[in-house]
Amino acid sequence: MFGKKKTRLAALGVIGMLALSGCGLQPATSTLPDLKPGSIKPIDGAGDQKVTVTSKNFTEQLVLGKIAVLTADAAGFDVSDMTNVPGSQPSRNLMVSGQAQLGWEYTGTAWLTYMGETEAIPDAQQQWEAVKKADEKNNLTWGKPAPLNNTYAFAVRQEFEDKYGVKSLDDIAKVPVNERTFCVESEFNSRSDGFNPMLEKYGLQRGAPDGVPESNVSVMDTGTVYAATAKGDCNFGEVFTTDGRIPALNLTVLQDDREFFPKYNGSPVFNSDLVKKYPELQERFEQVSKLLDDKTMQNLNYKVDVEGQDPGDVALDWMVDKGLVGKK
């Protein structure tokens, strides 16, 4: 069952391949590693079923995409790896059109971007249930979400955390005004659900002398916020919660006690026809998704972004370490 499928892209149908090529998409890899059995067990009859896995093309999605490829492979399916798709909407289109049958998506992205809703649902479970129900008409089934929540947040460096005891966004108000310095990216600075409403949610007025004076706010590129925060150019840096630079720079993510930021829990998403035929597939992915929390994802992203490892190798090593699969 394991390691018998080495040329999976040949499994793509002619029509499907033409459609994918027409989108300018290229396969992420032409081979899959040889696996040995782990805790993910093969599903009876899966060997004749062709499954195409997709992902977007940023680090976390590449790692999750490879995890999906390996999980489906370990479950015994004939897998085509079509991860590394440029952009969220093209990857989504592959799923909705049925050209791909498996991928990882974020609840907040689906709700706010694909489904056009204007307000997120604060409770993570309710948010997941809402997108799950809404996507039924697209012949998509959402698997149980992982604990990982790749949402906006603010982080502080260790020295500043120790000095002022800041643990949550509520604690910003305890810090002297002249120390309430922020580094934010331009999009977050102007979003209707971004910086200004976040300050309001936590009782701080931007521009007010007893709130957050305008001179305390630095707007910069996303990539520079992390380093600027670590260097002390600002005390509060806007981050994404699962970014690998958080552990690399020894930053601490502040808790969002008032649940301002939308929930972006990662969930496996399946073609509904596929999981109706093979309902055990959702159980196999639940084995994986329950292990993926923010710190785990930070570390996996770190290995790619900071250490320069290949996303596929990172995914495989993690799954082997967890006993989900074995490596020959």
Side-chain angles (χ1 to χ4, degrees):
M1 186 62 70
F2 296 86
K4 68 182 180 63
K5 306 177 281 284
K6 301 301 293 181
T7 55
R8 308 301 172 79
L9 291 173
L12 281 173
V14 174
I15 294 176
M17 181 63 85
L18 288 174
L20 293 170
S21 299
C23 295
L25 305 179
Q26 297 296 323
T29 180
S30 58
T31 61
L32 294 175
D34 289 332
L35 300 180
K36 293 195 300 184
S39 63
I40 298 175
K41 302 302 181 187
I43 298 170
D44 290 343
D48 296 329
Q49 178 68 50
K50 298 176 177 60
V51 172
T52 298
V53 177
T54 185
S55 81
K56 308 168 199 181
N57 64 343
F58 58 88
T59 296
E60 183 167 300
Q61 274 280 306
L62 291 173
V63 173
L64 290 173
K66 297 299 183 185
I67 288 174
V69 167
L70 295 169
T71 301
D73 187 38
F77 291 90
D78 185 356
V79 183
S80 294
D81 181 348
M82 195 56 70
T83 55
N84 198 22
V85 174
S88 296
Q89 196 63 58
S91 181
R92 165 77 171 179
N93 290 345
L94 289 176
M95 291 292 297
V96 173
S97 68
Q99 294 180 81
Q101 292 81 41
L102 249 174
W104 284 81
E105 191 50 88
Y106 304 97
T107 53
T109 302
W111 189 246
L112 299 171
T113 301
Y114 303 145
M115 298 167 186
E117 299 291 341
T118 56
E119 292 190 12
I121 299 173
D123 182 81
Q125 178 68 20
Q126 292 178 10
Q127 180 65 91
W128 174 77
E129 290 173 356
V131 296
K132 181 177 186 294
K133 182 174 179 56
D135 246 352
E136 288 174 356
K137 65 179 182 297
N138 295 316
N139 201 36
L140 298 177
T141 297
W142 284 65
K144 288 187 177 179
L148 78 88
N149 176 26
N150 186 2
T151 189
Y152 288 109
F154 275 90
V156 298
R157 64 190 185 283
Q158 187 67 55
E159 174 188 337
F160 185 77
E161 178 188 1
D162 293 341
K163 182 176 181 179
Y164 290 104
V166 288
K167 299 291 184 186
S168 74
L169 295 177
D170 266 324
D171 293 332
I172 296 174
K174 301 176 184 175
V175 175
V177 171
N178 67 328
E179 296 281 23
R180 296 176 193 166
T181 53
F182 292 82
C183 290
V184 298
E185 60 172 344
S186 57
E187 181 180 335
F188 183 75
N189 184 50
S190 58
R191 283 175 65 104
S192 60
D193 60 347
F195 188 44
N196 294 334
M198 185 218 79
L199 291 176
E200 291 175 11
K201 182 79 172 182
Y202 281 90
L204 297 166
Q205 183 179 351
R206 181 170 178 172
D210 60 348
V212 177
E214 194 62 38
S215 59
N216 284 16
V217 181
S218 299
V219 180
M220 52 185 64
D221 293 337
T222 304
T224 60
V225 169
Y226 293 82
T229 307
K231 288 191 301 182
D233 294 342
C234 56
N235 291 322
F236 300 94
E238 172 213 343
V239 298
F240 292 101
T241 49
T242 58
D243 196 295
R245 286 167 289 190
I246 292 172
L249 296 170
N250 196 28
L251 301 176
T252 299
V253 174
L254 301 181
Q255 295 297 313
D256 178 16
D257 291 336
R258 303 189 188 186
E259 297 189 320
F260 171 79
F261 293 115
K263 300 298 187 292
Y264 287 84
N265 290 95
S267 297
V269 180
F270 311 90
N271 177 280
S272 295
D273 295 335
L274 178 66
V275 289
K276 285 177 184 172
K277 189 174 181 180
Y278 302 98
E280 305 98 324
L281 183 58
Q282 291 194 69
E283 298 171 3
R284 303 299 190 270
F285 271 81
E286 285 173 23
Q287 291 180 245
V288 178
S289 61
K290 66 183 182 183
L291 302 176
L292 290 166
D293 57 18
D294 285 357
K295 287 196 177 297
T296 297
M297 206 67 240
Q298 286 174 4
N299 289 331
L300 297 179
N301 290 333
Y302 172 88
K303 291 178 184 297
V304 177
D305 287 333
V306 180
E307 296 182 348
Q309 296 187 41
D310 179 83
D313 292 339
V314 170
L316 177 59
D317 289 344
W318 176 76
M319 293 184 72
V320 170
D321 180 65
K322 297 299 178 185
L324 296 163
V325 298
K327 181 164 56 176
K328 285 188 176 178

